[in-house]
Amino acid sequence: MRELLVRTNIWWVLFLRLLLAMFLFSLCRVGFYLYNRDYFADLTAGTFFEIMVGGVRFDLTAVLYTNLLVLVLMIVPLEIRFRAGYQAVVRWLFFVFNGIALAANVSDFIYFKFTGRRTTADIFQQFEHEQNMGGLLGRFLIDYWHATLWWIGLIVLMVWLYNKTRVQGPLMRNKWLFYISGLAAMLGVAYLTIGGIRGGFQHSTRPITLNDAGKYVRDPKDVPLVLNTPFALYRTLGKTKIKKVHYFADEAALDSVFSPVRHGADSGAMRKLNVVVLVLESFSKEFVGFFNHDRENGTYKGYTPFLDSLLQHSRSYTYSLASGRKSIDALPSVIASVPSMGVPYVLSPFSGNKINSLGTILRGEGYHNSFFHGAPNGSMGFQAFMNIAGIEHYYGMTEYGNDADFDGWWGIWDDKFLQFMAHTQRDFHEPFFSAFFSVSSHHPFNVPDDYKGRFAGGPEPILKCIQYTDESLRQYFHTVSKYPWFKNTLFVITADHTSSNIMFDDSRTARGLFSIPIFFYRPDNSLVGLEPGLVQQSDIMPTVLGYLGYPHDYIAFGRDVFHSTDEVAWNYKDDVYQLYQGDYLMQFDGRRALSLYNYKTDRMLQENIVKQYPDVVQAMEKKMRAIIQQYNNRMVDNKLIIN
């Protein structure tokens, strides 16, 4: 076997050994599938191949994390790297770190059967108080000896193939050339390693997360097959604020205070209206004149003349709230009624959970589903989330197909992309569901050359962009109003979050920082009026389904505001839960109420009345505990759908 030994330069050896780790991770994916093939029963050979290819991206990140110390030791430009003792240390580090990573992968061959997802960092909290971990591990090795043998086989293969390569060198005799070239190579490898760990180099692309696996599947249940367990562990370390709690002793007591189970309508056949949801980047409620007639002594006009005109013929609410402060918080809330609590849902260890959404539910009722976002495909992880949410058709910058309309920063200009959306929707079969997410109201707050000088703007630089996107919406509605499907459509318009460019003092309060427009429009004027009540982003899905008369039960953390009288909303800010109920806003740290305000009369939230109203505080604490327990425990137990 001596002739199979490869002696070559250190960079090629490093590449081959990382490639070896990647190969072993791919074998683990094959093993994961074989052990759980009943779960993936509908998987075809072609789809499995696509998943294997997609999984390489996640394997690369995990392999680079696992071998960071090995990488550092191999790329430092010192001659000691070539000594036998030094290479022996590197070899054992490679074996130990990758052996542990392979053990994590193989353990999920079995553990996945109990959890339905890849193991994440919350496992350390789950077992942190277990007194018999050694005994449990021994029992696992015995009961699942076949998986243990699989791991041993991988270790043997790793050692055998690793030992087929040897570092030769140093090959350069000139010391200056050796150090200069070594330093340059080290910097190049470091740059590539950072890109590999992040999952790309684009400024608009967030570091790859569990949620990104959704881009490589046709069925959301296949997401665990794309991932690998070390990746799931690395990416969720420090992001496990969501853990099971037991405020209520039994499920009946818990459900009597708050339950996310929403019951289907019993009013007969479902109305198959089209549904179009428009999510506007950074559209604070303070920008919309319709909601702010009392400002500036009644002279305030706002910056959204088209939305103001549309609101005259829409159902809206005096108090409407975002569920989070980031764009990535918005879509799960709006599309799936899954708000973020403690950590953005799509970045949490539970982003691969099965969920119901407007996509999955309406798709089951024969709807064509689509999502439009003018940014580069993959931006913000939206494409991956749409796959998980059951929305088959994604339209991004790639599908738009004309980079001449790129704004240079975030994506296609809103007016261009909204017209593209309108023309694309023209050919959709009815009924259909479409969602749109705008991009233009972002720093550096530019508008297209054709619109410069057209908008007066205001005291904040974003306001010209708000006026521009408002005009883009006017053009979109002008176009689609000529289509036959327009009259048969429910439109929902909201924002992802508030802007950081704040004009009024009350917009800086704990409520104002979440205050966004949310309203419902029907072209037949059947939904009209500014209601005095409360609505939040996660109410959109159940409200739409209630309006359509969807007949089946489902899970939603929001409520149907058209029919429910339990006026409640919540969000999470600076490690504090904020519960809105009736006239009151309570801030709760998970143990006790920190403050209570009458947010309807105390606009600036200056008078903390937590001690004056103990009965109100007690009732609201009970409600918040029930919400937290339902949310956390269902998230951890992967019970976000009704089986």
Side-chain angles (χ1 to χ4, degrees):
M1 302 298 291
R2 191 82 176 163
E3 65 276 7
L4 295 178
L5 185 64
V6 177
R7 292 183 181 275
T8 186
N9 72 75
I10 196 166
W11 304 107
W12 183 241
V13 168
L14 175 61
F15 172 75
L16 290 176
R17 289 173 179 172
L18 293 176
L19 194 63
L20 167 60
M22 295 282 291
F23 171 64
L24 295 170
F25 272 53
S26 289
L27 289 181
C28 286
R29 183 169 289 104
V30 173
F32 183 84
Y33 167 71
L34 292 175
Y35 267 80
N36 297 282
R37 57 186 177 275
D38 291 343
Y39 183 86
F40 305 107
D42 299 329
L43 204 64
T44 65
T47 302
F48 182 69
F49 177 77
E50 292 174 4
I51 286 173
M52 289 291 291
V53 173
V56 168
R57 188 181 180 198
F58 300 87
D59 292 350
L60 177 60
T61 296
V63 165
L64 291 173
Y65 267 129
T66 301
N67 292 280
L68 273 177
L69 183 55
V70 170
L71 271 163
V72 171
L73 292 175
M74 289 286 279
I75 68 176
V76 289
L78 300 173
E79 288 192 26
I80 193 175
R81 291 179 297 166
F82 301 97
R83 295 181 182 176
Y86 188 98
Q87 284 297 316
V89 171
V90 172
R91 178 170 62 252
W92 280 105
L93 288 173
F94 185 92
F95 291 162
V96 170
F97 291 150
N98 288 281
I100 293 172
L102 294 172
N105 265 327
V106 172
S107 67
D108 254 356
F109 290 8
I110 308 301
Y111 197 50
F112 175 79
K113 298 177 185 294
F114 302 99
T115 64
R117 65 165 180 260
R118 288 283 184 170
T119 297
T120 54
D122 64 302
I123 187 115
F124 300 120
Q125 293 175 333
Q126 185 176 346
F127 291 105
E128 64 181 340
H129 300 300
E130 183 58 56
Q131 301 297 313
N132 189 31
M133 279 303 297
L136 288 173
L137 179 60
R139 190 74 224 178
F140 181 91
L141 294 175
I142 293 170
D143 288 347
Y144 301 106
W145 57 268
H146 36 84
T148 303
L149 286 179
W150 187 290
W151 176 71
I152 291 172
L154 291 171
I155 296 298
V156 171
L157 182 62
M158 174 177 67
V159 172
W160 183 69
L161 290 175
Y162 184 98
N163 288 332
K164 293 302 174 185
T165 59
R166 291 285 190 277
V167 173
Q168 185 178 2
L171 301 179
M172 293 182 182
R173 301 305 176 190
N174 184 297
K175 297 292 186 183
W176 283 104
L177 184 59
F178 171 80
Y179 288 117
I180 292 172
S181 63
L183 180 61
M186 181 180 70
L187 294 174
V189 171
Y191 176 75
L192 293 174
T193 299
I194 292 170
I197 287 174
R198 290 187 76 256
F201 297 94
Q202 290 180 300
H203 79 277
S204 63
T205 303
R206 292 179 179 270
I208 186 174
T209 68
L210 276 67
N211 182 63
D212 288 294
K215 286 192 291 189
Y216 302 97
V217 299
R218 301 178 186 179
D219 188 328
K221 73 179 179 61
D222 297 335
V223 162
L225 196 54
V226 179
L227 296 169
N228 63 76
T229 304
F231 177 89
L233 291 167
Y234 294 140
R235 276 294 190 249
T236 55
L237 283 171
K239 297 178 179 176
T240 54
K241 291 182 180 180
I242 301 171
K243 59 183 75 174
K244 293 184 76 169
V245 295
H246 300 283
Y247 295 123
F248 294 81
D250 59 75
E251 292 297 318
L254 173 63
D255 290 343
S256 69
V257 180
F258 176 80
S259 173
V261 177
R262 304 290 171 244
H263 299 293
D266 55 5
S267 56
M270 179 177 169
R271 291 193 292 177
K272 296 295 183 73
L273 299 175
N274 308 308
V275 178
V276 176
V277 177
L278 304 171
V279 183
L280 308 178
E281 173 68 46
S282 301
F283 263 62
S284 301
K285 201 170 186 177
E286 64 177 351
F287 299 156
V288 183
F290 179 87
F291 295 114
N292 297 281
H293 293 307
D294 61 329
R295 295 193 185 275
E296 298 180 352
N297 297 319
T299 64
Y300 182 72
K301 300 299 183 183
Y303 299 87
T304 58
F306 172 71
L307 290 185
D308 289 347
S309 67
L310 202 63
L311 277 157
Q312 299 289 341
H313 306 278
S314 302
R315 176 76 56 83
S316 59
Y317 295 82
T318 303
Y319 305 99
S320 46
L321 301 166
S323 296
R325 294 281 296 146
K326 302 181 181 71
S327 295
I328 55 175
D329 292 323
L331 285 179
S333 296
V334 172
I335 302 297
S337 194
V338 179
S340 296
M341 291 174 65
V343 65
Y345 169 72
V346 298
L347 301 182
S348 77
F350 314 108
S351 60
N353 283 3
K354 296 178 182 177
I355 59 173
N356 41 215
S357 70
L358 286 173
T360 57
I361 290 173
L362 295 181
R363 181 179 177 181
E365 297 296 321
Y367 276 65
H368 176 283
N369 290 328
S370 59
F371 177 73
F372 293 81
H373 184 221
N377 291 42
S379 177
M380 307 293 288
F382 289 168
Q383 187 173 11
F385 176 72
M386 288 305 133
N387 271 5
I388 292 172
I391 296 176
E392 312 105 303
H393 304 286
Y394 182 94
Y395 297 90
M397 192 168 167
T398 299
E399 288 72 22
Y400 183 79
N402 184 2
D403 290 353
D405 294 328
F406 179 52
D407 65 11
W409 288 89
W410 298 104
I412 304 301
W413 293 110
D414 282 348
D415 69 315
K416 302 291 187 183
F417 198 76
L418 275 165
Q419 288 301 304
F420 164 72
M421 174 176 165
H423 296 319
T424 304
Q425 288 173 318
R426 179 176 52 197
D427 299 323
F428 287 169
H429 71 75
E430 297 184 62
F432 67 82
F433 164 70
S434 288
F436 163 81
F437 200 111
S438 73
V439 303
S440 293
S441 41
H442 255 304
H443 184 272
F445 306 127
N446 292 326
V447 297
D449 290 340
D450 293 346
Y451 291 85
K452 286 183 177 174
R454 182 169 174 178
F455 303 118
E460 295 296 335
I462 195 175
L463 295 174
K464 282 190 178 182
C465 297
I466 298 298
Q467 291 173 312
Y468 159 67
T469 297
D470 180 74
E471 170 61 19
S472 301
L473 288 167
R474 186 194 67 77
Q475 295 174 16
Y476 167 78
F477 273 87
H478 176 73
T479 299
V480 299
S481 66
K482 302 172 184 176
Y483 297 159
W485 59 258
F486 178 73
K487 294 183 293 184
N488 193 43
T489 302
L490 170 66
F491 292 90
V492 184
I493 300 178
T494 185
D496 59 343
H497 54 75
T498 57
S499 170
S500 59
N501 299 85
I502 294 170
M503 298 191 298
F504 302 109
D505 289 342
D506 61 302
S507 296
R508 296 181 175 87
T509 66
R511 178 181 68 85
L513 289 171
F514 294 88
S515 188
I516 61 169
I518 299 175
F519 63 96
F520 304 84
Y521 168 70
R522 280 295 312 279
D524 63 1
N525 284 329
S526 58
L527 289 174
V528 178
L530 174 61
E531 300 291 328
L534 177 68
V535 64
Q536 60 181 336
Q537 283 174 330
S538 54
D539 294 337
I540 290 173
M541 184 183 94
T543 301
V544 168
L545 294 177
Y547 187 73
L548 298 179
Y550 178 68
H552 306 295
D553 295 351
Y554 59 94
I555 300 294
F557 287 96
R559 66 190 180 98
D560 175 357
V561 295
F562 292 169
H563 300 100
S564 170
T565 58
D566 184 18
E567 186 176 279
V568 63
W570 64 91
N571 42 50
Y572 187 90
K573 178 182 178 291
D574 300 330
D575 294 326
V576 172
Y577 301 94
Q578 299 193 144
L579 177 68
Y580 308 76
Q581 189 170 23
D583 295 340
Y584 298 102
L585 161 58
M586 180 192 69
Q587 295 179 318
F588 179 72
D589 68 359
R591 296 168 296 171
R592 62 185 179 88
L594 304 176
S595 55
L596 182 75
Y597 303 98
N598 187 321
Y599 70 89
K600 294 182 178 179
T601 59
D602 182 10
R603 198 164 183 169
M604 294 300 299
L605 305 184
Q606 293 178 322
E607 185 180 0
N608 184 357
I609 54 176
V610 69
K611 293 182 179 179
Q612 285 105 295
Y613 295 90
D615 292 342
V616 172
V617 169
Q618 184 179 19
M620 292 184 71
E621 282 183 336
K622 187 176 182 180
K623 174 74 79 173
M624 194 69 244
R625 288 190 178 102
I627 292 168
I628 294 170
Q629 183 166 331
Q630 290 281 16
Y631 184 92
N632 286 19
N633 293 10
R634 284 178 178 274
M635 200 68 70
V636 173
D637 292 336
N638 199 2
K639 292 183 177 180
L640 299 179
I641 62 171
I642 294 176
N643 293 320

